[in-house]
Structures are given as C-alpha cells and as structure tokens.
Amino acid sequence: MPRRATIIEVAREAGASKTSVSRYFAGERDKLSPALCERIAAAALRLDYRPNQMARGLKGGHSRLIGMLVADIRNPFSVAVMHGVERACREQGLALLVCNTDNDPELERTHLALMTSYQVEGLIINASGSPDAELQALTDRGLPLVLLDRELGAVEADLVGLDNARAIDLALDHLAEQGYGELLYLSEPPERASPRRERLTRFQAGLTARRLTGEAYTMSGSDEELARNIEAFLTRSAPKGSGEVPRALLCANGAVTLAATRALLRLGARLGKTGLMGIDELDWCALIDPGITTLAQPTEAIGQQAIASLLAKPGNQADAKARQHRFEPRVIARGSTRLSG
Amino acid sequence: MPRRATIIEVAREAGASKTSVSRYFAGERDKLSPALCERIAAAALRLDYRPNQMARGLKGGHSRLIGMLVADIRNPFSVAVMHGVERACREQGLALLVCNTDNDPELERTHLALMTSYQVEGLIINASGSPDAELQALTDRGLPLVLLDRELGAVEADLVGLDNARAIDLALDHLAEQGYGELLYLSEPPERASPRRERLTRFQAGLTARRLTGEAYTMSGSDEELARNIEAFLTRSAPKGSGEVPRALLCANGAVTLAATRALLRLGARLGKTGLMGIDELDWCALIDPGITTLAQPTEAIGQQAIASLLAKPGNQADAKARQHRFEPRVIARGSTRLSG
DNA sequence: ACCTATGATGGGAACGTTCCCATTTCTCGA
DNA sequence: TCGAGAAATGGGAACGTTCCCATCATAGGT
C-alpha cells in the first residue's frame, strides 16, 4: 500500500531543498531559477506528489477551506446559490465544506463549531437561528464572514442577497399593471428570517401608492387551512362602491408558491383570472397551465459575490464597514398574471 | 484578536499533560481518573478550547473528513441523497467536503485531487466521467470508496443505488396493469451513466413477457425534436390486427420527466389518455393536472447507506469483495397512468 | 518483604508543511 | 579591487496534534 510522497522526497529527487519545493507549490515560482523549477516539476511528476493540505493548513492557517452553512439544503434556491459559490471556489482553488442545519438552531451551533475546527478561511452563513454571539466571536478572531440572504442583527458582516424591497416593488408594479387590485400576500412565519420580514413590510407599505388593497397570511398550519384562507379571500364580497376587482396571490418564496399552487388547483381556480405570482423561479413554474409568473433571483451571481466578499475582507482589519450586496430580481411574466387569458 | 487555545494551554490550565488532554478529547476518557477528567473539562471550558482538526488530520491521517463528488448538484435526486449523507456524517461526527463536477470529467479529476489533498477518510463518488484509474489508485492506497448511483467498470468498490431492473419491472408492470400497450422509453444518452444503460436494457428485455411493444428514444437535441418524436409516436397508426392500443411514455429520470411533460403539454395531450410515468419523484409531479405517476427512490436511505458502507470498509484489507446495495423504488400512482380519467 | 503485573500519567518525537533567517553567488558602481 | 545589495537557495524551528514509550504508584501473589 503505497503512501503519498512528501515534500522532502520530492526535494531529494529533484536535488533541491524542501524550501524550494515549497516555494514552487506555493506559487512563488518567479523566485526560483527556471532550471530548478524544471527539476522540481519533473520530480513531482515522477513521484505523483500532491501537497498535503492538512499540513499546509496547520502551519500557516492557510487551509484553503471555505465553510458554507445552509439552513435548508433541499431548497432549490440554496442549491442554486451553492452552485455559484462552488464555481467561485473552484476558480480560487478553494474547497468547500458544506453543512446543512435543516433549520435547527441547535445544529447550527454544532456545525459552526465543526467548521471552525477545520480552520476554514471564511464562512458563508445562511442562518437558521440567531447564532449572533458565536459569529461575532469568530469575526473578532479575524475570520471573514458573509451573511447569505438572511441578516443577523448583531453581527457586523457583509450581507449578500436579494434586494427585497425592490423585489416586492417589482411584483406590486407588475400585478397592478396587469389589473389586479386586491392582493393576498402569503409567507412563512417572518420571525426568524429577515427577508421574510423585509418583504412583508414592503408589501404592506407599497399598497396604497398603487391603489391596491391587500392583506397578509402567514402559513403555519396545514394545506387545508391555507386553502380555506385562500378561498375566503377569493370569495368574499367586494368592498362597497368598487365593482368586482381582480384578485391575486403573491407568494414570498418557492415553498409558498408550491403550497399556494396546490391549494389553488384544489379549489379549482383558474390561474390568470385569479392572479398568482411568486418569488423564486422553479423548474415547474412554466409547466403549470398558463405558466406561473415569478421573480427570479440571480442565484449564480449571489453565490459568486459571496466568495468575492469573503476574499475582499482585509482579513484582520475589522475596521472595514459591513457592506450589503443586494441583487435585483427579474420578472418572468407568464399566464398566471394575465387576466385576458 | 484572540487566538484559539491549544492543547498545551489546556494542559497547563488543568495541571495535566497534553497527552492526557489529548486522550480526553480523543474519547479515551475511561483511561483517565475521574478527577483528572473533571479538571480537564473545566479547563477546556474556561479556555473555550476546540481541538484543531487540521493538526489531528496531519498526525494520524484522521481528518474526520468525507468527500462527496457529485455529477450535478442541481439535480434534486443528488441533493436528496446528499441530505442523507449529511445526516449520517453528522451522527458520526464527520464533516462533508462537497464537490460538484457539472458533469465535466476534467473537473472531476481536479476535484478528486483536491479532495484527496485534504486527506479525506472516505470518498463518495457520483461519477460524471470514468476516472477509473485515479479511483483505483486511491483504493489501492487504502482509501475507502463508495460509488453512488453510477457504476464504474474498472473500480472495485461498493455501489449504492437504485435497483434499476426492479424499477423498470415495477414501471412496466404498472403500465401494463393500467392498460397501456405501446410504450416509448425516453432517456438521456446512456453511454456514460450505468443506470441509464441498466434501465434501458431492462426496458427492452421486459416488453415481450408483458405483451407490450415499445421503443426507446434518446434525448439529445432540442425540446422541439423531443416533441416531434413524441408526436410521431402518439399519432402513428396502430399495428395491423390490433385495435387502438393506449400509449404511454416512460421517463428514465427526473430531468427527462420534466422535458417530456413540457412536450406533452405543448402537444396538447391529455395525461392519462396518454400515459406518463417517470423515475424520480419531484415536488411538482402531484401538481400537474391529473398528477404524474412516479417511481420514488429512497434517497435518504441511499445516502445513509453510502456512509455506512464507507465506514464498514475494513480500511486496509482490500480483500473485502465489493458489495452492491440496491434499493427498491416505490410506485406513486397518479392520474397520468389512469386511462379512465 | 520482594518482584511483578496493572493502571494512570507524562515526555518527546513524529506528521508535512511554511517561513524566518542564514548562506552563497553574482552584479555593479565607486 | 572591494563592498553592498540583490537574487537564489537551503537549514531548521515552528504549527497543534497523536502515539510510542517511559515512569511511577499501587496492589497482589509468593
């Protein structure tokens, strides 16, 4: 059972010192004479040498590892962002340690500890709970940190995510433009996740300027309950004075869109006549009969920016103010917000 | 900027030797007196000590890291399995290094090298190319290895995945039972991925015994081309002698199901009258009008078994024969395979 | 009382790097 | 001709663990 060659063996084989070999692999080839470079390259090839990242990480703290903590790995949005993060890592020669918390704050703490024990050089956090204290301790220690999608009050760290206000504005504009006048905003419980709060707030704030009326419903219970609430919204009598005003649902994210669509179909609603729009573009949104209108997030860009922000961190100087990178969504208009259909 | 405490500092704080502290954290507490244990625990708590995994990994090669190489991280099946893997890792105190190859064999090689440079203790491979040589070299070196979903001819390693023959049998049985007589099997190019070959072969072998006729189409081009081929299949005249025999599509995986559904809806086909069944259960399959019948894979179990197989490897003794863990899928019958609808 | 297992503890050499300092050789200007 | 400085290279001490060995009680059998 052969063992991997070490830097010492390569040095001997190349007739050089381990320092030179180290330099060669650390990308300081310009400091070496071409002849030496060549000898080292040949020797390394002959021995099939690969630097041991564990040893590297031990010495200088240069693990070349990035940790990513995801609240729900089965959420397509998270996966899409992860795809962008992964690609950016690859370009930088970084490896990605992925942990999924399944929205469990307890697990989040555990995984945070796990990742730091691997001396990660940076952390991308899509928080499920409020590990503010733990995270602040890490930044204090000089560990670059980026918040993904979800803000965390007490932590000074860059945030990368959607421009939630803009997203809601775009949605409201689109719905108003299409002729819908009464809206029902559907969301998961907004307590723990900042984007949910931001979106909900903006929704409520954005109604009057557009002469819309609307209300919000927080999903918590069963599909049945959701369906009942949607039905109540759709069937209640129009406010006096106004005639029949078209009604629409606005879904706060992909999971909600799924549940709402299920409910609407169960109620036998005709999409379009009943408006339906969701944040997050999903595979199947084009499939459901007239197509479901969505707001697509630039997930790839978000992922790449997360790594960019991480690497831009001056490392030790914590003086750099926390930045926000808010990305703009794109409206993908389909039949579910077309009244004429 | 405080630094993390080391084992030496804990030892001093506890009035013990680093060896004892090491033993304490390596889970050999039974070899220590209760008094000493207590002192160490207190000291570690006071200093907020966490063992440095990099150093651990360096010394004994015990990195507690598992690598997972995924061909396509945006495939919901892969993510679902990864979820199972992640959970199993967590239970074992392992960390998961995830690499996505985007189905690029070149990238696969790079990532393989990357992961091994982190001294991973095991590797879960969902291959995109044929890195047989590289992988065999790794097993020879004693690295436990598990193939996920996709077999690799030349590598002796456990395989964990679906019982593809059984899956096709279940599908054919179901379709025959529901009264469909002519089938079109849709698949992505079967060259590189063993499950595609296994499924296709079994499909062709399983027709006659069930008095079915069928043909296979390999998706390669555009949606239009797929739609044309499906249309040709649906509209061609019945073979002489037999009356009108109900026709159905069988989709080899989730991606194909998506494309086929898109095509069918575009063609204005009525699901049910035209049968549709797919391998892999997806969020939206219940949503499309009468519901799409699927074969669900036990993804969580597959993921957990992958880790189990990895840990069961006798480590060095490569004598252990490669095992196959084939899981049985479950039919989720919906309207798309109900003629009466 | 003595010799020997047995169990608890500690000292120190690895593990494979990086990086701080030499050391050596060479170039160039005074 | 000489010394200074740069450029190329190498030696050795870390980094934070683990683990082999040694040490030292303590207890038990003779």
Side-chain angles (χ1 to χ4, degrees):
Chain A
M1 194 167 66
R3 208 182 25 78
R4 187 113 259 174
T6 76
I7 209 172
I8 308 248
E9 295 165 313
V10 176
R12 194 184 317 130
E13 176 86 7
S17 75
K18 55 185 164 47
T19 306
S20 297
V21 180
S22 172
R23 289 206 176 97
Y24 180 86
F25 283 100
E28 303 173 6
R29 305 190 189 182
D30 49 336
K31 297 189 175 176
L32 302 180
S33 71
L36 186 54
C37 271
E38 205 164 317
R39 267 172 21 233
I40 293 176
L45 192 64
R46 237 171 300 146
L47 298 178
D48 190 28
Y49 168 75
R50 305 282 159 73
N52 180 326
Q53 288 292 350
M54 284 291 174
R56 286 189 161 184
L58 175 56
K59 184 54 215 261
H62 297 192
S63 62
R64 304 261 68 195
L65 259 184
I66 297 293
M68 179 168 183
L69 194 61
V70 184
D72 177 9
I73 207 183
R74 284 183 288 195
N75 180 337
F77 166 75
S78 302
V79 176
V81 172
M82 189 168 138
H83 187 264
V85 168
E86 221 262 347
R87 150 189 286 270
C89 281
R90 180 190 317 156
E91 283 164 6
Q92 305 286 340
L94 297 165
L96 190 62
L97 205 53
V98 177
C99 285
N100 166 47
T101 63
D102 272 338
N103 277 308
D104 177 351
E106 183 60 36
L107 212 54
E108 183 161 70
R109 259 174 264 276
T110 315
H111 277 164
L112 225 37
L114 183 70
M115 299 186 131
T116 55
S117 76
Y118 282 98
Q119 315 294 109
V120 290
E121 291 188 41
L123 228 31
I124 297 176
I125 307 287
N126 175 223
S128 41
S130 305
D132 295 62
E134 286 86 345
L135 292 181
Q136 192 58 52
L138 293 177
T139 52
D140 288 350
R141 196 171 285 136
L143 182 68
L145 209 141
V146 167
L147 263 25
L148 181 65
D149 190 54
R150 302 188 183 177
E151 222 161 340
L152 235 39
V155 182
E156 332 164 342
D158 282 16
L159 175 83
V160 178
L162 187 67
D163 184 338
N164 291 300
R166 181 87 178 110
I168 293 297
D169 287 351
L170 283 172
L172 292 179
D173 284 345
H174 176 77
L175 289 171
E177 216 166 80
Q178 297 295 97
Y180 299 94
E182 292 185 26
L183 307 183
L184 177 61
Y185 182 77
L186 300 173
S187 170
E188 293 178 289
E191 295 80 39
R192 317 226 78 175
S194 66
R196 296 183 192 160
R197 282 195 303 278
E198 291 171 24
R199 293 173 193 176
L200 177 56
T201 309
R202 188 69 168 203
F203 172 79
Q204 282 159 336
L207 290 170
T208 51
R210 296 176 182 80
R211 298 168 191 281
L212 297 166
T213 66
E215 60 191 279
Y217 171 70
T218 295
M219 287 176 40
S220 53
S222 59
D223 269 27
E224 284 71 29
E225 191 187 316
L226 174 65
R228 269 200 308 279
N229 274 75
I230 292 178
E231 185 167 29
F233 167 74
L234 293 178
T235 57
R236 69 170 180 210
S237 55
K240 63 174 169 48
S242 62
E244 193 58 37
V245 178
R247 295 171 184 174
L249 310 184
L250 179 53
C251 304
N253 64 32
V256 176
T257 306
L258 182 64
T261 306
R262 207 184 293 130
L264 281 181
L265 294 182
R266 184 127 64 91
L267 293 172
R270 223 177 79 235
L271 297 187
K273 176 171 179 302
T274 298
L276 177 61
M277 181 164 185
I279 295 180
D280 285 348
E281 162 74 357
L282 301 162
D283 277 350
W284 50 269
C285 285
L287 278 186
I288 304 294
D289 183 21
I292 296 174
T293 298
T294 60
L295 275 171
Q297 301 198 42
T299 51
E300 197 79 13
I302 290 175
Q304 307 220 185
Q305 179 60 52
I307 291 294
S309 292
L310 224 44
L311 298 180
K313 280 291 177 64
N316 306 340
Q317 327 164 204
D319 59 346
K321 226 35 218 151
R323 291 178 158 285
Q324 300 232 133
H325 297 269
R326 297 292 196 162
F327 285 79
E328 184 143 338
R330 185 169 50 92
V331 176
I332 301 181
R334 300 202 177 91
S336 73
T337 52
R338 210 175 295 132
L339 274 170
S340 54
Chain B
M1 193 170 64
R3 208 181 27 75
R4 187 111 260 174
T6 76
I7 209 172
I8 308 248
E9 295 165 312
V10 176
R12 192 183 320 129
E13 176 85 6
S17 75
K18 56 186 163 48
T19 307
S20 296
V21 180
S22 171
R23 288 205 176 98
Y24 180 85
F25 283 99
E28 302 172 7
R29 305 190 190 182
D30 49 337
K31 296 190 175 176
L32 303 178
S33 69
L36 187 53
C37 272
E38 204 164 318
R39 262 164 34 223
I40 294 177
L45 192 65
R46 237 171 298 148
L47 299 178
D48 189 29
Y49 167 76
R50 301 286 156 74
N52 180 327
Q53 287 294 348
M54 282 292 176
R56 285 190 162 183
L58 177 56
K59 183 56 213 264
H62 296 194
S63 63
R64 304 261 68 193
L65 259 184
I66 297 292
M68 181 167 182
L69 194 62
V70 184
D72 177 10
I73 206 181
R74 284 182 288 195
N75 181 336
F77 166 74
S78 301
V79 176
V81 172
M82 190 169 138
H83 187 265
V85 168
E86 221 262 347
R87 150 190 287 271
C89 281
R90 180 191 316 155
E91 283 163 6
Q92 304 287 338
L94 297 164
L96 190 62
L97 205 53
V98 176
C99 286
N100 165 48
T101 64
D102 271 338
N103 276 308
D104 176 351
E106 183 60 34
L107 212 55
E108 182 161 71
R109 259 174 264 276
T110 315
H111 277 164
L112 224 38
L114 183 70
M115 298 185 133
T116 55
S117 76
Y118 280 98
Q119 315 294 106
V120 291
E121 290 189 42
L123 229 30
I124 297 176
I125 307 286
N126 174 223
S128 41
S130 303
D132 296 61
E134 287 87 344
L135 291 181
Q136 191 59 53
L138 293 177
T139 51
D140 289 350
R141 195 171 286 136
L143 181 68
L145 209 141
V146 167
L147 263 26
L148 182 65
D149 189 52
R150 302 188 183 177
E151 222 162 337
L152 235 39
V155 182
E156 330 163 343
D158 282 16
L159 175 83
V160 178
L162 187 67
D163 184 338
N164 291 300
R166 181 87 179 113
I168 293 297
D169 287 352
L170 282 171
L172 292 179
D173 285 344
H174 176 77
L175 289 171
E177 216 166 79
Q178 297 295 103
Y180 299 95
E182 293 185 27
L183 307 184
L184 177 61
Y185 182 77
L186 299 172
S187 171
E188 293 179 289
E191 294 82 39
R192 319 227 77 176
S194 65
R196 296 182 191 162
R197 284 196 301 279
E198 292 172 22
R199 293 171 193 178
L200 177 56
T201 308
R202 188 69 168 201
F203 172 79
Q204 282 160 336
L207 290 171
T208 52
R210 294 176 183 80
R211 297 168 193 281
L212 298 166
T213 66
E215 60 191 280
Y217 171 70
T218 295
M219 286 177 41
S220 52
S222 59
D223 268 27
E224 284 71 30
E225 192 187 314
L226 174 65
R228 272 201 307 280
N229 276 75
I230 292 178
E231 184 168 32
F233 166 75
L234 293 178
T235 57
R236 69 167 180 214
S237 55
K240 63 173 170 48
S242 60
E244 195 56 38
V245 179
R247 294 170 184 177
L249 309 185
L250 179 53
C251 302
N253 64 34
V256 176
T257 306
L258 182 63
T261 306
R262 208 184 291 129
L264 281 180
L265 294 183
R266 182 127 64 90
L267 292 171
R270 222 179 78 235
L271 296 187
K273 176 171 180 303
T274 299
L276 177 62
M277 181 164 186
I279 295 179
D280 285 348
E281 162 74 358
L282 301 162
D283 277 349
W284 49 271
C285 285
L287 279 186
I288 304 293
D289 183 19
I292 296 175
T293 298
T294 60
L295 275 171
Q297 300 198 43
T299 51
E300 197 79 11
I302 290 176
Q304 306 220 184
Q305 178 61 52
I307 291 294
S309 291
L310 224 44
L311 299 180
K313 279 291 178 62
N316 306 340
Q317 328 164 203
D319 59 348
K321 228 32 218 152
R323 292 177 158 287
Q324 302 229 131
H325 297 270
R326 298 291 197 162
F327 285 78
E328 184 142 340
R330 185 169 49 93
V331 176
I332 302 182
R334 299 200 177 93
S336 74
T337 53
R338 208 175 297 131
L339 273 170
S340 55

